[in-house]
Amino acid sequence: MDPLCTSHQEEEKTEIMKEEKETEDEKKDEEDENDDDDEEDEEEEDNSETTVIDGEEESDDKAKGTEPQQQKDQAWAPTTYSKFGKEVFCYVGEEISIFEALDSYGAVIWPAALALCHYLETNVEQLNLVDKAVLELGAGPGLVSIVATLLGAWVTATDLPEIIGNLRANLLRNTRGRWRNTPQAAALSWGPDVERIYPRSVYRYDYVLAADVVYHHDYLDELLFTMTYFCRPGTTLIWANKVRFPTDLVFTEDFKNTFNTTLLAEMGEVKIFKATCRETEEHLQHHPAG
């Protein structure tokens, strides 16, 4: 056989094998691409299904979050819903947004605050706050002070120094530009030191408000001292509280023994008291009108 012919045949065979290999490689690449496309399609379908499920879950969560809480057994419960990490309440025809902090008792809204807001809103004839000087003790995130401001009061909201930043932000967010009175936030620690920081010759209030300030802490004596200090003749103290511990009952008895008290309302487990200092009654007895 001609060597040249043999060499030529071998070259042709080699070329055919190369072409077959290239064809097989191309087919394999196409199959791999198809497999990849199928996997991407399956992933997209899975993602799509997940998105739909997540969307449904998010929609359910939003529906639950934005739906007003229905509490048939508590007519005083406010219209409230969660919105973008904050609590939104409706009082005095206004939407009030409150940011809370879970790392402090003083930065959370408690049941007595809601009850007191409802009472203030629905009893404006008995408690007319228009142009009255109001002090709130233990204001926390500031809901009660905001409602009092919207009802026309000049409000000073007080709490511990570490609470003031969030308190002030909530006050301004909900009252600036919406009412002529601008509430103030001020640090106040209960106890005898109030005589130095808030001298009676300068500070006088028509109303002192307090909601859920009696709970499991060691400053009940200081709290009662502070209430007594600010509740002078001509001042009305409104205290709302939910009883949780035996010490709450002891404080309630001390409160009644210190002031002239009236039970204004009972809302579920929350009681709202009105108190005036005993000097007022003694003064009226010794100086009758007319």
Side-chain angles (χ1 to χ4, degrees):
M1 182 178 291
D2 187 358
L4 292 176
C5 180
T6 302
S7 176
H8 180 70
Q9 288 177 349
E10 289 178 354
E11 287 177 359
E12 287 182 347
K13 186 176 181 181
T14 301
E15 288 295 327
I16 292 172
M17 291 176 66
K18 286 183 179 179
E19 290 176 0
E20 288 178 351
K21 188 175 188 309
E22 289 174 358
T23 302
E24 289 177 358
D25 291 339
E26 288 176 359
K27 288 182 178 179
K28 185 176 181 182
D29 290 338
E30 289 178 359
E31 289 176 358
D32 291 339
E33 288 177 1
N34 291 334
D35 290 339
D36 291 339
D37 291 339
D38 292 338
E39 289 177 0
E40 289 177 2
D41 291 339
E42 288 176 0
E43 288 178 359
E44 288 177 0
E45 289 176 0
D46 291 340
N47 291 337
S48 176
E49 291 175 358
T50 302
T51 301
V52 171
I53 293 172
D54 291 342
E56 291 174 354
E57 290 176 352
E58 290 174 2
S59 299
D60 291 340
D61 290 340
K62 288 181 180 179
K64 291 177 183 177
T66 56
E67 182 178 356
Q69 296 176 356
Q70 302 296 327
Q71 300 185 19
K72 296 180 180 179
D73 57 335
Q74 296 179 342
W76 54 271
T79 300
T80 176
Y81 55 91
S82 297
K83 182 179 180 183
F84 303 116
K86 61 188 175 187
E87 292 292 319
V88 180
F89 303 86
C90 294
Y91 287 108
V92 202
E94 297 285 346
E95 186 179 90
I96 302 171
S97 60
I98 298 292
F99 281 90
E100 300 174 279
L102 299 180
D103 58 347
S104 172
Y105 286 127
V108 177
I109 294 174
W110 298 100
L114 303 178
L116 183 53
C117 287
H118 176 76
Y119 186 86
L120 294 176
E121 179 186 35
T122 56
N123 291 273
V124 292
E125 294 183 0
Q126 294 88 339
L127 293 175
N128 184 3
L129 298 183
V130 175
D131 288 330
K132 297 296 192 298
V134 172
L135 174 73
E136 185 183 3
L137 301 176
L143 179 62
V144 172
S145 287
I146 293 168
V147 171
T149 299
L150 297 177
L151 289 170
W154 296 89
V155 177
T156 300
T158 66
D159 212 308
L160 295 172
E162 58 267 28
I163 305 295
I164 293 301
N166 185 58
L167 170 59
R168 181 178 290 111
N170 282 330
L171 294 176
L172 294 178
R173 182 185 307 107
N174 291 282
T175 62
R176 185 166 47 192
R178 297 166 68 176
W179 197 254
R180 60 192 179 89
N181 302 344
T182 302
Q184 304 298 315
L188 188 153
S189 298
W190 303 332
D193 203 39
V194 297
E195 296 177 321
R196 178 181 60 84
I197 301 175
Y198 292 85
R200 285 187 170 182
S201 59
V202 178
Y203 296 93
R204 181 190 178 282
Y205 299 97
D206 298 300
Y207 288 93
V208 176
L209 306 178
D212 261 336
V213 291
V214 178
Y215 51 93
H216 191 58
H217 61 75
D218 299 324
Y219 302 98
L220 295 180
D221 290 340
E222 289 81 355
L223 171 60
L224 188 59
F225 178 92
T226 303
M227 287 179 165
T228 305
Y229 178 78
F230 285 111
C231 190
R232 66 179 70 181
T235 300
T236 299
L237 170 63
I238 307 295
W239 170 47
N241 203 70
K242 175 182 177 180
V243 174
R244 299 177 177 85
F245 305 100
T247 50
D248 296 9
L249 298 175
V250 174
F251 182 90
T252 301
E253 288 304 311
D254 292 340
F255 180 84
K256 291 179 179 179
N257 293 330
T258 303
F259 302 102
N260 301 311
T261 63
T262 303
L263 180 60
L264 294 178
E266 289 190 64
M267 300 181 181
E269 298 178 282
V270 177
K271 292 184 178 181
I272 301 178
F273 292 94
K274 170 186 173 182
T276 56
C277 71
R278 294 188 179 277
E279 293 179 25
T280 302
E281 184 176 297
E282 294 173 358
H283 179 80
L284 291 176
Q285 289 176 349
H286 291 88
H287 301 84

